[in-house]
Amino acid sequence: MEDSATIRIGNDNYDLSIITGTEDESGIDVRSFRKQSGLITFDDGYGNTGSCESKVTFIDGDKGILRYRGYPIEELAEKSTFLESAYLVIYGELPSHDQLQAFRHRVSAAGVLPESVASVIEAFPQDAHPMAVLSAGIHALGTCHPDKISNDRVKDLAVFDESAAIIISAIRKIAARHHRFRMGLAPVKSNPEKTYCENFLSMMFSKTDNGEAVPPAVSKALDLIFLLHADHEQNCSTSTGRMIASGGANPFASLAGAVCALWGPLHGGANMAVIKMLDEIHESGDDGSRFILAAKEGKTRLMGFGHRVYRNYDPRAKILKGACDSALEALGVSSPILDIARHLEEVALQDEYFIKRKLYPNVDFYSGIILQALGFPTDMFTVLFAIGRAPGWLAHWKEIAESGGKIHRPRQIYQGATERVYLPLEER
Ligand code: ACO
């Protein structure tokens, strides 16, 4: 690969260097281009823009490869746990036995949810969307730790380990507390003796205030879903979190913003939309053919299909497709929508429309089926995505803070009205 590129405009040549990553991905460094030429580069939606250099996650969308800090997702899914992978994503290396123990201890010792956070959660209308509550809950949590939200990178970095543990611990407590509140149920105490997922499931679904035992297969299925969501490089929510961090804001603010960005149906909200779609197909008695036709005609989208980066099977979807059967069997439930999902996939993967556009199942296509079988309400699916993604958002906050980089600030091509004269109201 050449190490420089020349852009020619009329008779002028502009020399730009080429940046190459450790996996041989290359990009033209356009940082000096505006200074040289007076022009900006235009890339609506950032489909061809590298916004940063990062060491957290590598994706090769054409080959369907995903690695956290160099480790293939398939290997982590088989051998690691969510908390171990969270450590890996945040700190860059697999933890030693002692490091993992200390990390687990920090997370479980983060304590009960502060009463002021619980009050914020319960101040929302009972039918408030859980993503709105989650974002607000994370903000409220930050205000309980004024020493960790100084918005001074150096100071916030010095206490980052504690902030990260508090957030990873509390994010599931906010989710569980809100679920119990809207169900009209008393909160269940957190039990630090339990594993991360057992404790969360117990806080969610226990019939007694003190929490009940959770079948290992259930907590294992949830642990896998969290692990598979731990990071996914510069997606919409992570870029939002990085954008907030670039202004010098603290990790709590960065994550609260990332949660909002995750909410939309084209991003994290797709897991809810998939179940809605599958339920509708199930209720209509159709085998999905009509839905596929509508998607091909541009009237709707096959939710859980397609990805900005993957032009191949999303490796996380492959793992979850395999996990669906074992999770459902362990739970002793059957899911009619799983058969519909499998059928939709089979049909779509043989259809010229989907083949031509390289549209394959993404992580959301099968995750919702497992989450539904675990008993989570559909409108909490994106919250579960957020719990899994928290380590990634934290890793990116840390990367930005450590780099001491500039504030992120894209430019635009203005297409609005040119200068005009203000007319007083009575003259309009
Ligand atoms: N169903 C039907 N057609 C689709 C789908 C789909 N799910 N996704 C893309 N297309 C079509 C588009 O209509 C377009 O067709 P055209 O070229 O004839 O106009 C073409 O494929 C390219 O689509 P874009 O929207 O340009 O692709 P982009 O990379 O911008 O979008 C996205 C990616 C948003 C994920 C899209 O595939 C989509 O909407 N999928 C459904 C929602 C979804 O599952 N989101 C979750 C993504 S994973 C995540 O965020 C965790």
Side-chain angles (χ1 to χ4, degrees):
M1 173 59 77
E2 302 292 328
D3 59 6
S4 69
T6 303
I7 295 183
R8 192 158 153 205
I9 302 171
N11 293 326
D12 297 321
N13 288 334
Y14 303 102
D15 292 327
L16 300 165
S17 54
I18 288 181
I19 297 184
T20 303
T22 51
E23 292 280 355
D24 286 341
E25 276 182 320
S26 297
I28 301 173
D29 182 347
V30 294
R31 279 175 292 184
S32 67
F33 186 57
R34 184 168 162 273
K35 213 171 189 178
Q36 290 187 54
S37 67
L39 299 172
I40 64 165
T41 55
F42 179 69
D43 181 19
D44 188 11
Y46 312 133
N48 197 37
T49 292
S51 63
C52 61
E53 293 176 88
S54 177
K55 294 183 175 162
V56 183
T57 287
F58 172 69
I59 300 174
D60 183 328
D62 292 327
K63 295 188 185 142
I65 291 173
L66 167 62
R67 296 186 202 127
Y68 297 160
R69 303 283 189 179
Y71 294 96
I73 192 68
E74 294 80 4
E75 214 174 336
L76 293 170
E78 190 191 330
K79 299 174 185 162
S80 184
T81 61
F82 172 58
L83 276 195
E84 185 188 60
S85 292
Y87 184 100
L88 170 70
V89 164
I90 296 171
Y91 296 105
E93 297 296 335
L94 282 170
S96 67
H97 184 267
D98 287 354
Q99 285 169 327
L100 184 57
Q101 281 300 96
F103 182 59
R104 279 203 190 113
H105 181 73
R106 276 203 302 277
V107 171
S108 54
V112 295
L113 201 60
E115 259 321 297
S116 61
V117 179
S119 309
V120 166
I121 294 169
E122 294 178 7
F124 274 88
Q126 221 157 352
D127 60 353
H129 195 285
M131 287 296 275
V133 178
L134 185 66
S135 179
I138 295 172
H139 266 310
L141 184 69
T143 63
C144 300
H145 300 277
D147 58 318
K148 295 180 180 58
I149 55 166
S150 63
N151 293 331
D152 171 330
R153 276 182 186 151
V154 177
K155 285 187 188 157
D156 286 345
L157 256 178
V159 290
F160 172 79
D161 291 356
E162 284 171 71
S163 301
I166 288 168
I167 291 172
I168 290 173
S169 178
I171 190 168
R172 76 204 144 136
K173 294 178 190 162
I174 295 169
R177 179 82 185 219
H178 177 238
H179 172 70
R180 307 262 328 168
F181 166 66
R182 64 183 181 150
M183 301 299 289
L185 298 168
V188 174
K189 287 193 192 79
S190 164
N191 180 350
E193 300 300 312
K194 293 187 159 113
T195 68
Y196 185 84
C197 286
E198 280 168 0
N199 196 6
F200 174 47
L201 286 160
S202 158
M203 285 187 277
M204 280 288 302
F205 300 121
S206 179
K207 294 194 177 64
T208 67
D209 294 1
N210 287 320
E212 290 153 2
V214 173
V218 174
S219 62
K220 203 169 155 227
L222 187 61
D223 197 84
L224 175 68
I225 290 180
F226 285 162
L227 183 155
L228 293 175
H229 285 84
D231 192 51
H232 211 238
E233 53 118 302
Q234 310 309 321
N235 54 79
C236 173
S237 54
T238 302
S239 299
T240 302
R242 284 186 76 114
M243 179 76 89
I244 294 170
S246 80
N250 64 81
F252 295 85
S254 170
L255 265 81
V259 165
C260 293
L262 185 70
W263 191 349
L266 298 186
H267 189 20
N271 55 14
M272 281 164 45
V274 170
I275 295 296
K276 191 166 167 272
M277 171 186 83
L278 295 174
D279 280 342
E280 274 170 21
I281 294 172
H282 181 52
E283 279 157 26
S284 73
D286 180 39
D287 66 351
S289 309
R290 269 185 287 171
F291 200 92
I292 295 232
L293 190 65
K296 285 163 61 174
E297 287 170 350
K299 291 182 188 148
T300 184
R301 286 203 163 188
L302 186 53
M303 299 313 288
F305 253 72
H307 197 278
R308 173 59 65 80
V309 179
Y310 293 117
R311 300 301 179 195
N312 201 325
Y313 215 112
D314 179 337
R316 302 165 300 171
K318 216 177 258 178
I319 296 166
L320 284 173
K321 186 181 178 185
C324 261
D325 281 328
S326 41
L328 263 53
E329 196 186 314
L331 289 161
V333 293
S334 64
S335 169
I337 59 170
L338 177 58
D339 293 335
I340 295 173
R342 285 207 188 99
H343 180 68
L344 278 181
E345 178 189 333
E346 205 182 305
V347 174
L349 293 185
Q350 288 170 15
D351 190 297
E352 191 51 31
Y353 174 93
F354 294 89
I355 295 171
K356 200 172 136 209
R357 290 168 180 75
K358 297 188 176 166
L359 300 170
Y360 292 86
N362 61 48
V363 66
D364 294 320
F365 197 63
Y366 286 106
S367 64
I369 295 172
I370 301 181
L371 294 175
Q372 193 180 52
L374 290 175
F376 286 99
T378 313
D379 66 356
M380 269 194 81
F381 289 3
T382 317
V383 167
L384 299 163
F385 189 149
I387 297 173
R389 183 54 55 83
W393 290 331
L394 287 162
H396 287 275
W397 184 90
K398 188 166 180 275
E399 201 168 68
I400 291 262
E402 283 173 345
S403 75
K406 293 181 187 170
I407 187 164
H408 291 192
R409 203 313 187 174
R411 292 193 176 255
Q412 63 169 11
I413 303 285
Y414 177 67
Q415 302 284 17
T418 52
E419 185 175 355
R420 43 188 171 163
V421 176
Y422 177 86
L423 278 184
L425 192 55
E426 55 278 12
E427 290 176 33
R428 274 179 246 157

